[in-house]
Amino acid sequence: MSEVKNILLVGVGGQGTILASKILSEGLVEAGYDVKMSEIHGMSQRGGNVSTQIRYGKKVYSPIVGKGEADVIVAFEKMEALRWIEYLRKDGKMVINDFEIPSVPILMGQAEYPQGILEELSENVAVLVIKAAEIAENLGNSKAMNIVLLGALVKAMNVEGVDWKKAIQNNVKKGFEELNLKAFDTGYNL
């Protein structure tokens, strides 16, 4: 593989965005790719936005994904999808969690949650919408929604030769391995 691929994961603090990114990066490294990851989290413990940028290929020199360069964006929250759309390539794909977390201005009544986000994005780019929280809850724990999204991302990336099971088992809390493996498989097979 001579081409570098660009992946962007965006969400809100507490959604497991960074854990999913670490699993993704570890799996890609174990498969022999050169991987660079960067994470940005502003006030993530208080519901601020969290984003990670992952670039992989034969040789990667920088972890930074520029505007219009992301091959795949995974939005863990709908409004984050709208916020980051300018980073997607014209032929890129978005995986969007059909999940809302109102921002502070919305909670204070100073703004309204934007309506029609999924419809607007679907008209302009390739979008896979997932109700990851519901899927994870049906599997036994809504906190596994990040791994449901990771499974859908891996399928969208169309990358082979990676031991995702090992990467998941290495990174999730002990006792939650089976739940997360089921979450990954469910997301992958959507």
Side-chain angles (χ1 to χ4, degrees), residues 26-188:
E26 182 177 313
L28 292 169
V29 167
E30 289 294 320
Y33 292 102
D34 187 23
V35 179
K36 300 286 187 285
M37 176 184 149
S38 170
E39 60 186 56
I40 298 171
H41 34 100
M43 302 296 284
S44 59
Q45 297 298 318
R46 297 184 181 181
N49 67 336
V50 176
S51 65
T52 59
Q53 301 182 359
I54 299 168
R55 301 184 74 223
Y56 70 97
K58 186 174 181 182
K59 183 65 183 165
V60 179
Y61 295 97
S62 168
I64 305 303
V65 177
K67 291 180 181 176
E69 294 181 350
D71 295 284
V72 183
I73 295 176
V74 180
F76 286 55
E77 198 276 334
K78 287 193 305 190
M79 199 160 41
E80 292 302 314
L82 201 55
R83 191 185 322 257
W84 289 89
I85 186 67
E86 65 187 330
Y87 283 81
L88 189 67
R89 296 171 52 119
K90 287 184 180 179
D91 60 344
K93 303 173 189 172
M94 285 195 99
V95 176
I96 303 173
N97 187 12
D98 189 1
F99 192 74
E100 295 179 5
I101 299 178
S103 63
V104 171
I106 293 170
L107 291 172
M108 294 177 63
Q110 297 172 345
E112 292 185 16
Y113 197 95
Q115 300 299 307
I117 292 172
L118 298 177
E119 294 80 6
E120 182 180 336
L121 292 174
S122 296
E123 290 174 7
N124 297 301
V125 297
V127 171
L128 172 63
V129 178
I130 299 173
K131 292 185 178 290
E134 287 181 26
I135 292 169
E137 192 169 318
N138 289 336
L139 292 172
N141 190 328
S142 64
K143 290 184 177 181
M145 77 172 139
N146 61 335
I147 306 302
V148 173
L149 292 166
L150 177 64
L153 166 63
V154 165
K155 187 172 185 178
M157 290 167 56
N158 197 24
V159 63
E160 297 178 2
V162 179
D163 186 354
W164 297 112
K165 183 177 178 181
K166 180 181 173 189
I168 290 168
Q169 289 174 326
N170 287 344
N171 286 282
V172 300
K173 281 186 179 179
K174 298 299 173 209
F176 291 90
E177 296 93 339
E178 286 304 314
L179 167 69
N180 284 289
L181 290 172
K182 285 181 188 173
F184 180 85
D185 287 342
T186 303
Y188 187 88

